[in-house]
Amino acid sequence: MKHLRALAVKFLASLVLLYVILGLMYDMSFTNVFLISLVLGLASYVIGDLFLLPKTNNTIATLADFGLAFMIIWILGESLTYGESLLLASLISAAGIALFEYFFHKYVAGNVLEDGGREYRNTNYQYQTEAAEELYPVKPDVRSEEDTKE
């Protein structure tokens, strides 16, 4: 039930945001905006929220969602419409989606994922260095007797 609620929130927020940017500013039809929001919502929830967010952090998941949103909006926008290029519209829409995703990831990590989305992260690294006596390339026992007489 938590996943359905999160998917609904993500879809509705994406639909409103994309309709304002693509529908009102770039005159795209509501049907096309609805299809793009549906595909984008499902793909970014599975890839960004359920796969990347537990294994990485919010920043990396947000950047991945920006790239995914840009590609999906651009490819679907170009295939569903005709006319001028939607490159700038896709960049603006992806930036808006990424801004929303930054806050949505905090909601998902706190309310949907177990362990706050930190199942795979082990941040208790203890690095050590090793020191030995082999600092010189030639060991004293390997030198010949002539080298030691000088």
Side-chain angles (χ1 to χ4, degrees), residues 134-139:
E134 296 90 22
L135 295 177
Y136 298 104
V138 178
K139 295 181 182 178

Side-chain angles (χ1 to χ4, degrees), residues 13-72:
S14 297
L15 181 65
V16 169
L17 186 85
L18 290 178
Y19 184 70
V20 167
I21 296 171
L22 296 175
L24 298 178
M25 292 173 60
Y26 288 93
D27 202 28
M28 187 181 285
S29 71
F30 181 77
T31 308
N32 292 343
V33 173
F34 185 84
L35 285 172
I36 291 172
S37 298
L38 187 67
V39 171
L40 178 64
L42 288 173
S44 67
Y45 187 73
V46 171
I47 294 171
D49 301 335
L50 297 181
F51 181 71
L52 282 176
L53 185 61
K55 295 181 180 180
T56 61
N57 59 15
N58 190 2
T59 305
I60 293 176
T62 302
L63 290 174
D65 279 332
F66 173 78
L68 183 68
F70 173 70
M71 292 304 292
I72 288 175

